Amino acid sequence: MSGKQFSFTSILGWSASRYEKFQSCRRSYYYAYYGKFDPDFPIAKINALKALSSKALAIGSLAHDCIEAIFKRLQQSDAAVDKNRLKAYIHSKTMEFHASKVFFEVYYGQIDSVSTDEISTYVNESVDHLLNSERFEWIRSQSAENKKRWIIEPQGYGETRICGLKAYCKVDFLLPNEEGVFILDWKTGKQDWEKQQKQLIGYALFASGNFNFPIEQIHPIVVYLKNGYEEKEVALLPESLDAFARRVQEETYEMYTYVADIEKNIPKDKAHFPMQDDVAACKYCEYKALCGR
Ligand code: SF4
């Protein structure tokens, strides 16, 4: 299933992570989304900082890749997962990741090096929590016909339209069957129900807008994998859907006030994107080398 496609436009598209960046610090938002317009630093330098990975990000990214591989394989075969092969796969993916990335903690001198064993242990644990869950058995037991309809980490950024505005809501895993349409979102970090609920409402609107699934049949579920297995389903109440759509509109228009040309998404001058006053909030920012913080 490929869903609705949109022709390319330059206009900015809302996403939960974009607005989160915008809110956290206007200057970091500028570096993250408008680095090529920066008059002070070469784009290569900005992009190198943007590409830094923290240990937590590495664990999340590797666990997602691994779960994607497991479900893609399940579409082809019902055979039980070979835990030893899986462990070797996670080890080799962790080594690849380690070789291709610079870690935030190392770049900023917090630690001398990142232990690949530590990362792969956390990835193994998270994936194991999923494999030992009833939910995994339920997914595994789906019919071959249903498996063909799974959408696993779809290509692209999950572009959709909310109230006619461009938005990005990318699902991890979408499973339609006779009971409904299940959207499962894997979390390897801490629980933040308020934030994650909103994210999942966006995914439900993506599934309904791009694939025409009736909204009342959609079950968005957040799956926590860090300390065991836990899942929480988001209720799609009419008032929460309305509130989400309003929020996307308000936040998009707020971000529009920082661009000089809305259609081309050209930012105003860098001076419109001030640095954060609270120096303590810079502690985990990837761009602190540019701000001297
Ligand atoms: S270091 Fe601080 S001021 Fe600079 S971009 Fe990051 S959060 Fe903003």
Side-chain angles (χ1 to χ4, degrees), residues 52-202:
L52 292 175
S53 173
S54 65
K55 289 198 282 182
L57 272 178
I59 292 163
S61 168
L62 287 161
H64 275 77
D65 288 353
C66 185
I67 293 169
E68 175 185 352
I70 290 170
F71 286 128
K72 285 192 168 156
R73 184 189 148 278
L74 256 188
Q75 283 184 302
Q76 314 299 327
S77 155
D78 276 341
V81 174
D82 179 331
K83 296 272 177 89
N84 286 329
R85 281 187 65 188
L86 179 63
K87 218 170 161 189
Y89 178 80
I90 291 174
H91 177 74
S92 92
K93 285 282 167 192
T94 305
M95 297 306 282
E96 261 176 44
F97 190 96
H98 188 262
S100 66
K101 286 276 186 183
V102 178
F103 280 81
F104 175 93
E105 294 88 342
V106 174
Y107 184 85
Y108 284 112
Q110 293 169 1
I111 52 174
D112 291 335
S113 62
V114 165
S115 151
T116 46
D117 282 352
E118 183 192 345
I119 304 252
S120 62
T121 299
Y122 281 120
V123 176
N124 269 299
E125 280 175 9
S126 294
V127 174
D128 229 37
H129 293 149
L130 174 63
L131 294 182
N132 294 332
S133 67
E134 283 176 21
R135 177 63 74 189
F136 182 73
E137 276 315 306
W138 176 81
I139 295 169
R140 203 158 82 93
S141 68
Q142 299 296 306
S143 71
E145 262 326 288
N146 275 340
K147 284 178 181 167
K148 286 186 199 153
R149 300 175 66 209
W150 291 356
I151 297 170
I152 307 163
E153 300 276 353
Q155 294 288 306
Y157 299 99
E159 184 172 344
T160 189
R161 295 290 178 268
I162 295 173
C163 300
L165 296 168
K166 190 201 273 184
Y168 295 99
C169 305
K170 190 162 186 266
V171 299
D172 288 343
F173 184 42
L174 194 148
L175 182 159
N177 69 10
E178 338 23 69
E179 297 167 58
V181 178
F182 295 80
I183 295 173
L184 296 156
D185 194 56
W186 325 116
K187 300 289 182 205
T188 54
K190 61 180 190 309
Q191 297 199 15
D192 184 344
W193 182 234
E194 275 307 302
K195 176 176 154 185
Q196 289 153 355
Q197 245 189 119
K198 286 176 190 151
Q199 206 182 4
L200 272 279
I201 292 174

Side-chain angles (χ1 to χ4, degrees), residues 14 28 36 56 82 86 167 194 207 212 216 218 255 271 281:
W14 177 94
S28 72
K36 69 177 180 185
D82 179 331
L86 179 63
E194 275 307 302
N212 295 322
E216 60 281 3
I218 299 177
M255 291 188 285

Side-chain angles (χ1 to χ4, degrees), residues 216-236:
E216 60 281 3
Q217 289 179 12
I218 299 177
H219 301 272
I221 298 170
V222 189
V223 179
Y224 299 104
L225 298 171
K226 189 175 180 189
N227 304 311
Y229 184 93
E230 187 184 347
E231 59 174 50
K232 288 186 186 172
E233 179 165 348
V234 177
L236 294 176

Side-chain angles (χ1 to χ4, degrees), residues 14-61:
W14 177 94
S15 72
S17 54
R18 182 177 190 127
Y19 190 73
E20 195 180 339
K21 198 77 175 156
F22 175 83
Q23 259 192 324
S24 72
C25 168
R26 298 294 192 270
R27 182 59 58 89
S28 72
Y29 172 70
Y30 180 83
Y31 288 137
Y33 291 94
Y34 300 110
K36 69 177 180 185
F37 298 97
D38 188 85
D40 304 317
F41 302 106
I43 184 64
K45 167 95 178 158
I46 296 171
N47 282 344
L49 295 174
K50 188 175 175 178
L52 292 175
S53 173
S54 65
K55 289 198 282 182
L57 272 178
I59 292 163
S61 168

Side-chain angles (χ1 to χ4, degrees), residues 24-25 27-28 31 275-276 281-282 285 287-288 291 293:
S24 72
C25 168
R27 182 59 58 89
S28 72
Y31 288 137
M275 290 203 286
Q276 165 84 257
C282 302
C285 176
Y287 303 111
K288 57 187 176 179
C291 298
R293 294 268 168 103

